[in-house]
């Protein structure tokens, strides 16, 4: 088990609503990345935060936004939910030094269902 | 465009045999490649990292090879056990999502029969 925790475990929302997912990084890690994983697919990169600043972004619209806090915990916010947003949302923490990182430690994920 | 391909068909093997999983990529020049294991309903777990200047890496019953000419990595599990049954993901850093992101293949499900 990694030291990365995520909440909630499961969530059901209605199309058009907004959702906030939370992640607590492994102790000592200063970088957090968020991924979306649809059923049967690999995780897709949403964005990464390093020292509270967005440090890279994948091909996701602006209604996906995030925050990283001074204690390195993080939030993923999704506005105007669409049915296709139904997926497993994973956060991963890592330790970046000099702008580089290696293995990522994933949390158990939040299963979001949009109806 | 950049692509990572893993065999989408499940791999079924008998306990004790060697499982070999393939990861092919196109239009990448990755500095390193990683392999992860994912069990149903759980997050991926890091297994091994191999750099572009390494041909082979081993860890216990796991072996990874990396051929940058063929643009291919092979992942081997020797003396496989039913507990090795899981989905195995390969991941490259960079690509369209930028140098800081990991780009994953869709994974190959391994089923080891007792």
């Amino acid at each position: 088990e990694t030291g990365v925790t995520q909440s909630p475990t499961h969530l059901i929302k209605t199309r058009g609503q907004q959702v906030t997912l939370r992640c607590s990084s492994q102790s000592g890690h200063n970088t957090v990345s968020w991924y979306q994983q649809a059923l049967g697919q690999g995780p897709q990169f949403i964005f990464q935060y390093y020292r509270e600043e967005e440090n890279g972004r994948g091909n996701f619209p602006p209604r996906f936004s995030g925050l990283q806090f001074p204690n390195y915990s993080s939030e993923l916010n999704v506005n105007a939910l669409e049915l296709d947003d139904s997926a497993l949302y994973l956060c991963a923490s890592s330790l970046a030094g000099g702008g580089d990182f290696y293995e990522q430690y994933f949390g158990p994920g939040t299963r979001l269902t949009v109806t | 465009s950049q692509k990572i391909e893993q065999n989408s068909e499940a791999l079924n093997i008998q306990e004790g045999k060697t499982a070999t999983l393939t990861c092919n990529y196109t239009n990448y020049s990755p500095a390193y490649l990683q392999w992860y294991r994912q069990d149903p309903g759980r997050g991926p777990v890091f297994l091994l990292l191999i750099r572009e200047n390494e041909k082979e890496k081993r860890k216990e019953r796991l072996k990874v090879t990396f051929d940058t000419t063929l643009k291919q990595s092979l992942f081997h599990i020797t003396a496989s056990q039913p507990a090795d049954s899981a989905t195995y993901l390969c991941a490259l850093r960079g690509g369209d999502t930028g140098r800081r992101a990991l780009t994953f293949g869709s994974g190959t499900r391994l089923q080891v029969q007792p």
Side-chain angles (χ1 to χ4, degrees), chain A residues 46-111:
Chain A
I46 303 174
F47 44 57
Q48 182 184 95
Y49 279 80
Y50 171 66
R51 292 184 176 175
E52 302 175 56
E53 301 249 343
E54 189 178 291
N55 196 34
R57 190 176 184 93
N59 190 25
F60 280 80
R63 59 190 185 82
F64 285 78
S65 63
L67 281 174
Q68 185 184 31
F69 300 99
N71 65 355
Y72 301 132
S73 64
S74 176
E75 284 182 359
L76 164 65
N77 298 289
V78 187
N79 293 321
L81 283 166
E82 300 176 1
L83 297 179
D84 284 350
D85 295 334
S86 296
L88 181 68
Y89 287 85
L90 297 160
C91 94
S93 74
S94 54
L95 181 60
D100 207 353
F101 67 92
Y102 298 105
E103 60 261 34
Q104 299 202 5
Y105 295 83
F106 283 84
T110 293
R111 171 71 62 188

Side-chain angles (χ1 to χ4, degrees), chain B residues 9-43:
Chain B
E9 286 183 25
L11 178 64
N12 289 292
I13 64 167
Q14 211 62 30
E15 183 176 7
K17 301 290 186 187
T18 296
T20 298
L21 301 150
T22 305
C23 175
N24 295 299
Y25 59 93
T26 55
N27 298 324
Y28 269 103
S29 295
Y32 59 79
L33 183 147
Q34 302 182 15
W35 283 89
Y36 288 78
R37 169 187 171 136
Q38 188 172 25
D39 292 285
R42 305 190 73 167

Side-chain angles (χ1 to χ4, degrees), chain B:
Chain B
S1 65
Q2 293 155 329
K3 204 185 264 190
I4 302 173
E5 288 184 345
Q6 294 185 255
N7 194 342
S8 57
E9 286 183 25
L11 178 64
N12 289 292
I13 64 167
Q14 211 62 30
E15 183 176 7
K17 301 290 186 187
T18 296
T20 298
L21 301 150
T22 305
C23 175
N24 295 299
Y25 59 93
T26 55
N27 298 324
Y28 269 103
S29 295
Y32 59 79
L33 183 147
Q34 302 182 15
W35 283 89
Y36 288 78
R37 169 187 171 136
Q38 188 172 25
D39 292 285
R42 305 190 73 167
V45 175
F46 172 79
L47 296 175
L48 277 169
L49 177 153
I50 185 165
R51 300 178 195 282
E52 61 179 340
N53 60 351
E54 297 175 317
K55 296 295 182 192
E56 184 180 295
K57 199 84 167 274
R58 290 175 186 261
K59 180 182 173 183
E60 297 171 357
R61 293 185 296 113
L62 308 180
K63 185 179 88 170
V64 173
T65 63
F66 193 13
D67 188 326
T68 55
T69 303
L70 288 179
K71 295 187 183 295
Q72 181 181 78
S73 175
L74 298 178
F75 178 79
H76 306 272
I77 306 176
T78 58
S80 60
Q81 304 165 1
D84 295 327
S85 299
T87 295
Y88 291 86
L89 299 157
C90 78
L92 301 174
R93 195 183 81 169
D96 292 335
T97 53
R99 63 181 294 272
R100 303 194 185 284
L102 279 180
T103 302
F104 284 85
S106 57
T108 299
R109 190 163 62 86
L110 172 67
Q111 188 70 39
V112 181
Q113 307 290 347

